[in-house]
Amino acid sequence: RKKVTIGTLRAMHKRGEPITMITAHDFPSAHVADAAGMDMVLVGDSLAMVALGMEDTSEVLLEEMLLHCRSVARATRAAFTIGDLPMGSYEIAPEQALETAIRFVKEGRMQGIKLEGGKEMAPTIAKITRAGIPVLGHVGLTPQRQNALGGFRVQGKTSDGAMKVLEDALAIQEAGCFAMVLEAVPAEVASIITEKLSVPTIGIGAGNGCSGQVLVQVDMTGNFPPGRFLPKFVKKYGDVWSESLRAIETYRDEVKSRQYPAPEHTYPIPKDELEAFAE
Ligand code: KIV
Ligand code: NA
C-alpha cells in the first residue's frame, strides 16, 4: 500500500471518498490499523483512559504522549500519523504550541498534530502550520474542556450553538488546518458545516455527512470488559475482550491441568545426549 500523504487526503476529499481514521496507542494497535487500510492513525489523548487507565484526558503528560507516539510510528507504514497535543502543552501561547508540535514530529515521529479549540486557537494553528507541521483541528465537543462545557455534551444543538461551531470551523480553516475533527454535533449541523468548508471534516458523533470518520479503536473493537459505558455514536464492530479472555482462561486451565505445553511445544535432545546427561 502506498504511503498516505496530505496530498492523498486532499485528493480523496476532492473526489468525495470518505477518509478513514482510527486511534492507536501502541505498536500492536497501530500495526493492525495500518494493516486494515486506515488512511489516518491518531494517537489521541484518549490513550489516557484506554491505555493508561486514567479518569480523563487532563491527566496525561506530554512525555507520555510522546512515548506512545514513538511506538505507533514504528508500526505505521502507510497511514498518515497524527499526534494529539495534551492539555497544558499548547494553550499558553502559540510559541509553546509550536515547541510542543515540533517535539511530536522529532521525538514522537508524527507527521501532523491535532489540537482542540476554535477561533481562539487560530493564531496557534497559523503558527504551527507556517512551520510546516500539518494541523488537524478539533471543534464541537472538545473533551479537554469538559469542566468548562459542563461535561461531555452535544454541541450545536441550538441555532446559536450551531453558529458558534460553524464560526470556529471557519476560523481554524482560515488559520490553515488541513482538516478538522467535528465531535458530537447533530448530523444536520455537521453536514451543513462540511458543505461550507473547503477542508475535510472528520466526524465522531457527527453523522454521515462529514468528509470522513474517526473512532477510538478500543471502543470499536470491543476491547473492554462488559458493562462499560459507551457513547451513543460508537458502533462495536468486534469483541476483542471476549476473545482475549477466552484465550487466557483456556491457557490458565491447560497449565493447571498440565495439558500445556504438549510435546509439540518442546525442544528435542538426542537420546544418547540425554542418557549421558541423566546419568
Ligand atoms: O483522543 C481521541 O481519541 C480523539 C478522537 C476521538 C478524535 O480526540
Ligand atoms: Na483527543
Side-chain angles (χ1 to χ4, degrees), residues 138-140 165 180-185 190 193-194 201-206 210:
H138 186 156
V139 295
V165 182
M180 68 187 72
V181 169
L182 259 187
E183 179 163 352
V185 298
I193 291 174
T194 300
T201 57
I202 311 295
I204 176 161
C210 295

Side-chain angles (χ1 to χ4, degrees), residues 21 23 42-47 57 84 114 116 138 143 181 183 204 214-216:
M21 180 157 98
T23 67
L42 169 70
V43 185
D45 63 353
S46 59
L47 82 78
T57 59
D84 212 359
K114 178 168 86 58
E116 295 184 7
H138 186 156
V181 169
E183 179 163 352
I204 176 161
V214 58
L215 282 175
V216 173

Side-chain angles (χ1 to χ4, degrees), residues 141-161:
L141 172 57
T142 47
Q144 291 176 9
R145 299 173 189 208
Q146 57 161 306
N147 295 316
L149 296 173
F152 299 101
R153 303 162 72 151
V154 179
Q155 303 295 303
K157 274 176 76 170
T158 61
S159 67
D160 284 354

Side-chain angles (χ1 to χ4, degrees), residues 22 39 107 119 122-123 129 131 137 146 187 190 215 222 229 234 256 260 271:
I22 195 169
D39 299 317
E107 298 173 48
K119 268 196 200 95
T129 305
Q146 57 161 306
L215 282 175
F229 168 80
V234 176
K256 293 283 187 188
Y260 177 85
K271 207 166 167 230

